[in-house]
Amino acid sequence: MMQDQRDNSYLFGGNAPYIEELYESYLHDSASVADHWRDYFDSLKQAPAVDGSSGTDIAHGPNVASFAERAKQGPIRTISDLADSEMGRKRVAVQQLIAAYRNVGNRWANLDPLKRTGCQDIPELDPAFYGFTDGDMDIAFNTSNTFFGKNEMSLRDLLQALRETYCGTIGAEYMFIADQKIKKWWQEKLESIRSRPAFNVEKKRQILDRVTAAEGLERYLQAKYVGQKRFSLEGGESFIACMDEVIHQAGAKGVQEIVIGMAHRGRLNVLVNTLGKMPKDLFAEFEHKGPETLPAGDVKYHQGFSSDISTPSGPVHVSLAFNPSHLEIVNPVVEGSARARMDRRGDVLGQQVLPVLVHGDAAIAGQGVMQETLAMAEVRGYSTGGTLHIVINNQIGFTTSDPRDLRSSLYCTDIMKIIDAPVLHVNGDDPEAVVLVTQLAIEFCSQFHKDVAIDIVCFRRLGHNEQDTPSMTQPLMYKIIAAHPGTRKLYADKLETEKSLPAGTGDEMVKAYRAAMDAGIQTSDPVLSNYKGKFAVDWSPFLNKKWTDEADTAIPLAEWKRLAARISTPRDGFKVHPLVEKVLNDRAAMGRGEVNVDWGMGEHMAFASLLASGYPVRLSGEDSGRGTFTHRHAVLHNQNREKWDTGIYIPLRHVAKDQAPFLVIDSILSEEAVLGFEYGYASVEPNTLTIWEAQFGDFANGAQVVIDQFIASGEVKWGRANGLVMMLPHGYEGQGPEHSSARLERFMQLCADTNMQVIQPTSASQIFHVLRRQMIRQFRKPLILMTPKSLLRNKEAASPLSEFTKGGFKTVLGERDELIDAGQVTRLVMCSGKVYYDLVKQRTEKKIGDLAIIRLEQLYPFPHKALTAELKKYPKLEEIVWCQDEPQNQGAWFFVQHNILENMSEGMKLGYAGRPASASPACGYAHLHQEQQKSLLNGAFAKLKGYVITK
C-alpha cells in the first residue's frame, strides 16, 4: 500500500519538475500560483525540512527535495482536496498536458507544405494518455500558469488553445532553454496570441507584394534565361517577406546596420527584391554584358551587395557578404564583420548591428563550421549581441530526401540547442506566420541579445540548380511539388476569399511586377541612393597602392624608451610570477639599450608604438595572451588572486593617455571559425591591426577553406581588400609532423596577382618593422608571417636598439661584411627562416671563407630588385644553392626556383640542399630528424650535383 502511494503521488517521479516550476513561480510571486498550491507552499514555511533545517527558505532546492521525501513517507494530508483524490490527479495531469504541448507540441505542428507525413506518434499530446475521457472535456481546470487570458478553462478549450498555439503552422522549441525568464517570455508571447498573426489589410497587402516579387523574379529569369544556373527560390518565396520584415523590425528596434550571410539559394532574389539591385544590372550579368573590372571575378550567385534602406525608424545599412561555394563558411566572416562594426560604433551590446545568417537545411546540420561559429556566440572577444538565423528548409538538401540519410537529429536546427537558442519552425506556405515569427525573433534578439533561429519549412520547385532533374531521384516528392499551385497563389486566393483584398488583386500584382522586370527598374522601395552613414569607412586611400611603397617604421629613441618602460612595469601591488618578472626585467633592460632586443620585445614594441599612434590592435588565437611558447606575456596574472576582473593586468592598454584599444584573446579551440571571424573583422576595419595566430602553424590546416576562398582570392574575385595578419609558427625543431610546418608551400602556390604578402622574418627588428609597416603603409593585403619557435629565445636573432630607431623592414638580408670576403665568394647559399642560423654556425665550424649566406625575408611579392643588388656584390659568383628545412616537395623551393633564375647571370648554376621529398611534413623520430638536418647542412656546402639548373 505504501509503495503504491509512493508511485502514484503527484509530488513524486515524473511530476517533480512541474512541482519545482510551480514552487519557483511561488517564490517569485505567490499570487502567480493557484490558491491550493499557495496554501500548501505557505505551510512549508512552518514545517521543518527533511534535513532538520527551517522550512522558511528562499532557495527552492531543499524544499523540492522535501517534496519527494515526504511523498515516500505516505500521502500528504495538508491539501486534502488534492491528495489521493481523482480530481487531484487530474489537475496534475492537466499541468503535465500543458508542459507536453510546450515541449513537444511542435512535432504535431502543420509545418510541411507538401503534407507528405502525418502526425508522429506522441502519446503525451493525447489527453487519453493521462486517463482523460470525453466526459472530462467540459471540466474546468486551473490554467493560471498559462497565458491564454483565463485562470480557469475547460479541458476542451485548453486543448484547443494548446493545439492552436503549438500545433498550427508555427512549431516553437524553447523549453530546453535553462533560463526560466526566457522560457516564460516565449510562453507569454506565443500563448497570448495563440501563435496566430492579426495583421491589418495594409500589412497583408505588403506581405503579398513581397511574395509576388519573390515568385515574379524567379519565373521571369526562368523564362528569359532558360537553363542558366541561379539557384531558384521557388517554393521558398516567403523568405523574401521574412527578409523585408527583418529590416523594418530591426530598424524599429534601433538597428542601423544589418550584415547578411547566405549561400546560393535565393541570393539573386535577395539582391533584387531586398537590397534593391537594379534588375537590368542582373540581366547584364546573365547576358555577359556586365563590367569585368576584376582580375578573376566570380559567378552571380556568389556576389555581395550593400545598400541603405529607408525604414519608418530611419535608414538601415544592409550588407550581403560575398560567399564562395563552401556555404556555411560565410558564417564566421559575417560575425567578424558585425563585431568590427559594433566596435567602431562603441556598441557593446550589439543594439545597433544585427548579423543575419541564412542557412540551407542540409548545410546547417552537416557543416562543422556552424558548430564552431555557435561556440563563439557568447564569448567575450567574438560575441555580437545575438544573431538571427534563418533556414530555407527545402527538406531535401541536395538530393537526400530520405530521412534516414538527412541527418542524425530530428530537426536540422537541433544544433542551435548547444547555445540555448530558441527555434521557430514555420510553414513556408503561410507567409503571415513567417512574418509573425520574424517579428518575435527580432524582438527576442533585441531584448535578450542572444541567437534565435527561424526554420522556414518549404520546398524546392526546381532542382539543386536549373540544370538538374530532381525527379530522377525524388519521383514522388516532385509529383507533389508539380501539383502545388505555389505559395503566392495560395496566399492571394486566401486574401481574396476572406475579402482582405478585392478579387483579381493578386493577378494585378503579378502583371505589375512583370512590367517592372521588362523595364529593368528597381523593385525594392525605398532604397537611398546617396546616403552615407556616419560610421561608413572610406577604403579609397587603400586602393591601387603598390607593395613597393615606402613606410617610415622607425621610432625616435625617446619614444622607444618611454614605451618600453610602460610595457615592462606592472601596476603597483601586482605580483607576477617569478619567471614573468624576469621577462619584464629583461625587457626593461632592452628598453634602456643595455642588451639586444629579443623577439617578444620587438613584437611588443611594434604593438605599443602603433597603439600610441592611434592604431587599434586585435590579436586572437589559442593561448595568444602569453604565447604558445611563452614569449609574449601580453596578459600578466596576479599570483595572489585569480579574480578575472582584478587578477590580470595588460600593459599594452596603458602605453598612452589617448591610445587606441588593444584586445588580446585566448580563442576557443577553433581554427576555421576564428580565422574566418578575424578575416571578416579586417574586411571592414582597415585601420585596425587584426592578427590571427595559430598555436602551431600546422593548425592552419583546419582553416584552409578560409585561406583558399577568402584570404588568397577575395580581392581578385570580389574586389575586397583586406589587411589581416596570420602568424604561423614554423620551423623544424624535431617536434614531428604536426608541429613543424605551417605548410609554406601552400601559401606560395596561392600567390599571384600581388594578392598577399608571405614573409619569414628572422630577427626581432624585422618583426617590429613588418608589423608597423602593415598599418603605416596604406597597402592592405593579407600578411602571412612564418614566425619562429626556437628563434624566440635565440640570442643571435635579437637585434641592437639602433635597428629599431633607424631603418625599416628589409625584404632581403645580405651577408655580414665582417664574416666573408665578397671578392672571393664563388658560392652563395640562399635561405629563409631559422636554417640561416644553422648554416652560419656550420660555416664557422668549417672555417669556410668563400661562401656567402643571404636570407630571403619576403618570399612574395618576390623582391627581385633587392636580390639583384645583393648578387652584384659577388663578381666571382658561380653557384647558388637554395637551402631549406622543409622536404624538397614542400617549403618555398618550387616557388622561388624560377624567381631566382631570373636574377642569375648567364652560366650560373642553381642547386637545392634540403630534405628529400616526403609525404609527411616532418619525421617523428628524433634521431632521423638530426640525421636529416646534418645532411641538408652538409649539402649546402658540398659541390653541386644531382638537381642542378643552369641559367
Side-chain angles (χ1 to χ4, degrees):
M1 179 66 178
M2 180 63 73
Q3 185 61 45
D4 290 342
Q5 291 170 344
R6 292 174 184 171
D7 292 344
N8 295 327
S9 170
Y10 65 93
L11 295 177
F12 196 50
N15 296 329
Y18 166 67
I19 306 300
E20 181 177 357
E21 186 174 342
L22 276 182
Y23 187 53
E24 286 179 340
S25 299
Y26 164 81
L27 288 175
H28 180 69
D29 179 9
S30 61
S32 66
V33 300
D35 292 344
H36 50 271
W37 283 114
R38 185 166 57 253
D39 292 342
Y40 174 59
F41 293 142
D42 285 344
S43 72
L44 289 178
K45 293 184 177 181
Q46 311 304 321
V50 292
D51 61 359
S53 62
S54 169
T56 311
D57 68 307
I58 297 302
H60 65 273
N63 275 337
V64 171
S66 75
F67 300 156
E69 188 61 33
R70 292 179 188 182
K72 292 178 184 177
Q73 298 168 2
I76 296 177
R77 305 296 180 183
T78 315
I79 40 179
S80 57
D81 61 322
L82 288 177
D84 288 334
S85 70
E86 180 64 12
M87 184 54 69
R89 185 195 65 76
K90 289 180 179 179
R91 286 173 177 166
V92 171
V94 164
Q95 301 305 321
Q96 289 179 307
L97 186 64
I98 293 170
Y101 272 87
R102 286 171 171 171
N103 275 288
V104 294
N106 56 84
R107 300 188 191 181
W108 274 8
N110 173 23
L111 299 177
D112 184 3
L114 303 180
K115 299 178 173 57
R116 291 180 299 157
T117 56
C119 288
Q120 301 176 43
D121 182 19
I122 305 176
E124 293 92 333
L125 299 178
D126 187 346
F129 177 77
Y130 305 96
F132 289 117
T133 65
D134 288 344
D136 297 315
M137 288 296 114
D138 295 315
I139 298 176
F141 291 95
N142 185 288
T143 55
S144 60
N145 66 325
T146 67
F147 294 91
F148 295 127
K150 298 179 180 179
N151 287 329
E152 283 194 349
M153 297 175 71
S154 69
L155 182 58
R156 187 186 312 280
D157 291 343
L158 174 62
L159 199 59
Q160 180 181 350
L162 289 170
R163 288 176 175 170
E164 288 175 351
T165 303
Y166 296 105
C167 304
T169 53
I170 296 173
E173 285 190 285
Y174 61 86
M175 287 297 286
F176 56 85
I177 297 172
D179 191 323
Q180 291 289 332
K181 183 179 179 182
I182 290 178
K183 282 196 283 194
K184 290 195 180 298
W185 189 90
W186 281 108
Q187 289 165 9
E188 180 176 6
K189 290 296 179 182
L190 296 168
E191 292 172 5
S192 63
I193 60 171
R194 302 195 182 186
S195 298
R196 292 184 300 190
F199 298 135
N200 58 30
V201 171
E202 182 182 355
K203 185 67 175 179
K204 292 179 179 181
R205 174 184 278 273
Q206 177 191 347
I207 295 171
L208 179 59
D209 175 75
R210 292 296 82 199
V211 174
T212 301
E215 181 187 85
L217 177 66
E218 299 298 351
R219 295 199 171 183
Y220 190 90
L221 294 176
Q222 178 70 0
K224 191 169 183 178
Y225 305 106
V226 180
Q228 287 203 41
K229 280 202 287 188
R230 68 179 193 277
F231 296 94
S232 166
L233 186 64
E234 281 190 83
E237 292 88 350
S238 291
F239 169 64
I240 295 301
C242 171
M243 290 303 302
D244 186 70
E245 197 66 18
V246 166
I247 295 170
H248 287 84
Q249 288 295 321
K253 297 294 183 182
V255 171
Q256 297 177 32
E257 290 193 73
I258 297 175
V259 191
I260 305 169
M262 66 181 296
H264 314 331
R265 189 152 319 283
R267 192 181 189 90
L268 301 186
N269 221 304
V270 169
L271 286 169
V272 172
N273 289 321
T274 301
L275 296 176
K277 181 172 182 173
M278 295 295 286
K280 64 180 181 180
D281 294 337
L282 178 63
F283 301 156
E285 292 172 8
F286 271 97
E287 295 163 8
H288 309 292
K289 297 177 181 177
E292 297 181 353
T293 58
L294 298 171
D298 206 348
V299 293
K300 297 177 288 296
Y301 41 83
H302 289 173
Q303 297 296 331
F305 197 80
S306 65
S307 59
D308 296 284
I309 298 177
S310 178
T311 74
S313 304
V316 176
H317 183 74
V318 185
S319 299
L320 176 64
F322 294 83
N323 191 38
S325 287
H326 284 82
L327 305 176
E328 301 291 315
I329 195 64
V330 79
N331 297 351
V333 176
V334 165
E335 297 293 346
S337 173
R339 177 60 182 255
R341 296 165 197 263
M342 288 169 53
D343 290 350
R344 188 185 306 149
R345 293 171 171 272
D347 180 18
V348 178
L349 295 178
Q351 294 171 312
Q352 300 172 40
V353 181
L354 175 68
V356 177
L357 296 178
V358 183
H359 314 273
D361 50 315
I364 190 175
Q367 297 203 351
V369 70
M370 181 66 196
Q371 185 272 333
E372 291 188 26
T373 305
L374 290 176
M376 298 191 295
E378 296 184 30
V379 177
R380 288 181 305 164
Y382 310 97
S383 62
T384 53
T387 297
L388 173 62
H389 300 263
I390 304 171
V391 181
I392 303 176
N393 187 344
N394 299 306
Q395 309 183 73
I396 190 172
F398 181 15
T399 59
T400 309
S401 56
D402 190 324
R404 296 172 298 179
D405 302 322
L406 277 173
R407 54 186 171 267
S408 298
S409 58
L410 177 62
Y411 293 117
C412 64
T413 53
D414 283 346
I415 191 172
M416 300 301 302
K417 296 177 181 178
I418 67 175
I419 58 167
D420 269 7
V423 180
L424 302 168
H425 308 280
V426 59
N427 190 318
D429 266 359
D430 188 348
E432 289 185 24
V434 172
V435 170
L436 173 61
V437 299
T438 305
Q439 293 176 345
L440 292 173
I442 293 295
E443 186 176 356
F444 175 82
C445 261
S446 176
Q447 182 165 338
F448 294 100
H449 305 291
K450 291 179 175 291
D451 288 32
V452 59
I454 298 171
D455 176 23
I456 304 176
V457 184
C458 49
F459 58 91
R460 192 185 69 195
R461 183 171 293 280
L462 304 179
H464 174 65
N465 61 61
E466 286 63 38
Q467 298 165 1
D468 179 34
T469 306
S471 59
M472 291 189 296
T473 48
Q474 277 78 29
L476 298 182
M477 181 181 191
Y478 273 84
K479 282 181 181 178
I480 300 172
I481 290 174
H484 192 287
T487 302
R488 184 210 63 80
K489 178 167 176 53
L490 289 175
Y491 187 50
D493 290 350
K494 172 182 178 292
L495 295 184
E496 293 176 14
T497 299
E498 69 183 27
K499 308 298 183 184
S500 292
L501 295 177
T505 301
D507 293 337
E508 291 173 6
M509 284 186 172
V510 171
K511 292 177 183 177
Y513 190 85
R514 175 80 188 205
M517 289 292 100
D518 286 335
I521 60 176
Q522 210 165 51
T523 63
S524 180
D525 186 62
V527 173
L528 306 176
S529 57
N530 297 313
Y531 176 79
K532 187 170 184 178
K534 174 182 175 183
F535 294 96
V537 174
D538 181 11
W539 278 86
S540 59
F542 306 101
L543 305 179
N544 302 315
K545 294 295 192 295
K546 297 179 180 179
W547 76 267
T548 52
D549 291 346
E550 296 293 330
D552 184 5
T553 56
I555 63 175
L557 179 60
E559 178 69 355
W560 170 275
K561 290 185 175 181
R562 187 190 73 79
L563 293 173
R566 299 293 295 172
I567 65 171
S568 59
T569 308
R571 66 167 180 256
D572 291 343
F574 195 94
K575 176 63 175 175
V576 298
H577 190 279
L579 293 177
V580 179
E581 185 176 17
K582 183 181 184 306
V583 170
L584 296 180
N585 291 336
D586 289 345
R587 286 180 180 173
M590 295 172 196
R592 295 188 295 268
E594 297 170 3
V595 293
N596 283 351
V597 177
D598 68 9
W599 195 280
M601 182 61 166
E603 180 193 85
H604 250 63
M605 288 298 291
F607 295 155
S609 56
L610 288 171
L611 293 166
S613 300
Y615 294 102
V617 175
R618 175 186 170 91
L619 168 62
S620 77
E622 295 152 16
D623 209 11
S624 285
R626 69 169 187 172
T628 296
F629 310 102
T630 64
H631 80 287
R632 181 169 294 127
H633 296 294
V635 181
L636 307 181
H637 294 262
N638 194 330
Q639 298 301 296
N640 293 332
R641 63 194 310 169
E642 279 202 19
K643 289 187 178 179
W644 293 112
D645 54 346
T646 59
I648 64 171
Y649 181 72
I650 302 176
L652 284 167
R653 291 183 180 173
H654 304 277
V655 297
K657 184 178 180 181
D658 298 318
Q659 72 169 81
F662 173 74
L663 181 64
V664 59
I665 308 157
D666 290 336
S667 76
I668 65 170
L669 195 62
S670 156
E671 288 81 41
E672 185 175 37
V674 175
L675 179 58
F677 189 101
E678 301 305 342
Y679 173 87
Y681 195 102
S683 70
V684 295
E685 194 46 82
N687 294 307
T688 295
L689 179 63
T690 306
I691 304 171
W692 177 74
E693 181 180 50
Q695 192 170 65
F696 283 86
D698 317 63
F699 293 5
N701 290 345
Q704 198 63 46
V705 175
V706 182
I707 297 166
D708 289 350
Q709 301 296 339
F710 290 95
I711 293 172
S713 59
E715 186 170 11
V716 296
K717 291 190 299 186
W718 310 318
R720 308 300 290 172
N722 193 295
L724 176 70
V725 178
M726 292 179 66
M727 285 184 172
L728 307 177
H730 175 85
Y732 281 62
E733 316 283 1
Q735 296 189 52
E738 270 68 62
H739 296 90
S740 297
S741 174
R743 289 296 193 175
L744 175 59
E745 64 279 356
R746 292 181 181 168
F747 290 97
M748 304 318 300
Q749 189 178 37
L750 292 169
C751 287
D753 302 313
T754 320
N755 60 335
M756 54 186 171
Q757 309 158 85
V758 181
I759 291 173
Q760 187 162 206
T762 54
S763 72
S765 60
Q766 286 284 81
I767 189 66
F768 170 83
H769 287 295
V770 79
L771 287 173
R772 283 180 52 77
R773 186 183 76 163
Q774 184 69 0
M775 296 308 297
I776 293 172
R777 188 176 62 172
Q778 291 186 320
F779 178 78
R780 293 296 177 266
K781 303 275 185 173
L783 170 59
I784 314 303
L785 287 175
M786 297 285 150
T787 55
K789 293 177 284 186
S790 63
L791 296 190
L792 299 175
R793 289 176 177 79
N794 190 324
K795 291 183 179 180
E796 295 298 318
S799 305
L801 178 54
S802 60
E803 292 187 5
F804 300 86
T805 58
K806 297 177 183 178
F809 176 74
K810 295 180 174 60
T811 57
V812 178
L813 286 179
E815 184 58 270
R816 292 160 57 186
D817 294 338
E818 71 274 15
L819 296 180
I820 53 103
D821 179 357
Q824 300 304 312
V825 169
T826 59
R827 181 184 182 85
L828 182 143
V829 177
M830 192 182 303
C831 64
S832 183
K834 90 164 181 64
V835 74
Y836 165 77
Y837 295 98
D838 299 326
L839 289 166
V840 170
K841 181 180 178 182
Q842 182 93 336
R843 182 179 63 182
T844 302
E845 292 174 353
K846 290 180 177 289
K847 298 179 180 180
I848 300 173
D850 63 348
L851 181 143
I853 305 172
I854 66 173
R855 285 168 276 179
L856 199 60
E857 299 279 287
Q858 178 171 299
L859 294 161
Y860 187 82
F862 195 87
H864 285 284
K865 288 185 178 180
L867 180 57
T868 298
E870 285 300 319
L871 296 183
K872 284 182 178 179
K873 294 178 181 179
Y874 309 108
K876 295 183 179 180
L877 187 61
E878 299 174 358
E879 298 177 343
I880 297 177
V881 178
W882 175 261
C883 182
Q884 66 179 35
D885 269 331
E886 303 88 352
Q888 189 173 19
N889 59 323
Q890 300 170 36
W893 167 236
F894 286 134
F895 176 84
V896 300
Q897 189 180 112
H898 68 89
N899 285 291
I900 295 173
L901 281 169
E902 286 185 31
N903 288 80
M904 289 167 52
S905 301
E906 195 68 35
M908 282 187 184
K909 296 178 181 179
L910 173 64
Y912 165 82
R915 287 175 168 81
S918 170
S920 174
C923 63
Y925 303 119
H927 71 90
L928 182 56
H929 167 78
Q930 295 298 335
E931 291 172 9
Q932 290 181 344
Q933 193 73 13
K934 183 178 179 180
S935 176
L936 76 88
L937 293 174
N938 288 335
F941 297 101
K943 183 175 177 60
L944 285 182
K945 57 182 179 179
Y947 195 173
V948 180
I949 305 170
T950 301
K951 174 69 173 180

